[in-house]
Amino acid sequence: MAKLGVNVDHVATVRQARRTNEPDPVWAAALAQLGGADGITIHLREDRRHIQDRDLRLLRETVTVKLNLEMACSDEIVRIACQTRPDQATLVPERREEITTEGGLDVVGQQDRVAEVVRRLQDAGIVVSLFLDPDARQIEAAKAVGADAVELHTGQYALAPPGPKREEELRVLAAAARQVRQLGLVLHAGHGLTYTNVQPVARLEGLEELNIGHSIIARAIMVGLVEAVREMKSLVS
Ligand code: PXP
């Protein structure tokens, strides 16, 4: 049964819209845990558009489940991660003009750099996952750079309309998932998942972790965060 990591970035997005102190992602993380979250995920972006350094520090102190830090391969963020020591780091590509993380990390094109970052994080005691498109060459490269886990990017699946196109994207994910497990890597997935499209992904064999943000926070505005997490958790399991 896959574990549910709840991404609370969007709580910080609302706060940063007014540069004030509410709503607080630290409070949100506590409520998500009450709703059954197995992990809390945050992305400390180089432009600090939502999560701030203070959030990472306080979440490191207060989160009692797995703390997963999404991050780019930037020296500044690697340094912060090694000092703060989240339980897990998920390396993602980052472009300032994007609304959210768009594609998977290109490991093939920067293998030496990714290998160095993986090593630095692991030396600090952090488990390292790489956020990848379901692409065989990228998954091979994840093994070569010594990553512990791969988070398969489910964005294309989530964008596909229900029907044959979505079925095809699911087959692509299933093949990539098999490859990840055959290489001895831990299997995660996430991005664009919702209450209506999550279940086929949650059923992928060997899946250990799903990371979901936008859909849960969107529902939380209507029903409250504890309830929103509880509903997602029951779908995932
Ligand atoms: N996984 C990764 C690596 C991400 O970058 C994101 C978005 O921050 C998510 C999962 C969650 O995506 P969503 O907000 O669409 O659920």
Side-chain angles (χ1 to χ4, degrees):
M1 194 172 78
K3 298 225 155 83
L4 174 62
V6 176
N7 181 317
V8 296
D9 290 350
H10 288 307
V11 176
T13 300
V14 175
R15 178 191 61 193
Q16 295 312 112
R18 288 294 178 91
R19 303 272 190 278
T20 173
N21 59 2
E22 64 179 3
D24 192 333
V26 177
W27 188 349
L31 293 174
Q33 288 170 90
L34 284 179
D38 302 297
I40 298 297
T41 293
I42 51 170
H43 185 173
L44 184 69
R45 296 184 72 104
E46 288 184 86
D47 64 8
R48 306 299 199 274
R49 71 170 69 158
H50 39 53
I51 292 294
Q52 305 296 307
D53 298 58
R54 163 267 185 208
D55 301 328
L56 172 61
R57 262 193 325 274
L58 291 181
L59 287 166
R60 175 60 299 180
E61 281 184 31
T62 55
V63 166
T64 56
V65 292
K66 180 195 273 191
L67 180 64
N68 174 36
L69 177 67
E70 292 176 3
M71 53 179 279
C73 287
S74 101
D75 277 328
E76 185 212 3
I77 306 290
V78 172
R79 208 172 324 109
I80 292 171
C82 289
Q83 279 163 6
T84 319
R85 296 181 189 226
D87 302 290
Q88 177 176 290
T90 300
L91 299 181
V92 300
E94 206 174 287
R95 289 193 302 120
R96 273 170 200 254
E97 61 277 20
E98 69 192 359
I99 294 174
T100 179
T101 314
E102 282 169 359
L105 185 70
D106 177 17
V107 189
V108 174
Q110 44 172 350
Q111 202 156 319
D112 291 348
R113 172 66 181 154
V114 177
E116 182 205 335
V117 170
V118 168
R119 205 172 326 108
R120 282 169 65 189
L121 293 167
Q122 287 173 337
D123 284 350
I126 302 165
V127 170
V128 182
S129 178
L130 306 184
F131 183 55
L132 302 184
D133 291 326
D135 173 313
R137 285 173 60 237
Q138 297 291 351
I139 294 167
E140 286 279 344
K143 178 72 181 175
V145 298
D148 301 292
V150 166
E151 178 173 334
L152 292 177
H153 191 327
T154 51
Q156 290 306 317
Y157 160 82
L159 285 173
K165 257 202 90 48
R166 185 175 289 182
E167 291 306 314
E168 174 53 26
E169 293 296 344
L170 191 60
R171 278 193 291 278
V172 169
L173 284 172
R178 258 192 313 278
Q179 184 189 2
V180 169
R181 287 186 295 106
Q182 277 164 2
L183 288 170
L185 299 167
V186 176
L187 177 64
H188 301 164
H191 211 284
L193 297 174
T194 69
Y195 292 82
T196 53
N197 69 19
V198 72
Q199 285 193 307
V201 176
R203 282 195 285 264
L204 286 174
E205 207 178 321
L207 182 72
E208 297 207 9
E209 179 179 311
L210 280 171
N211 284 299
I212 307 178
H214 184 264
S215 191
I216 292 175
I217 302 303
R219 182 165 294 210
I221 290 172
M222 305 298 171
V223 304
L225 188 52
V226 175
E227 176 58 23
V229 173
R230 204 178 278 141
E231 287 175 31
M232 184 58 86
K233 173 99 174 168
S234 87
L235 287 172
V236 165
S237 46

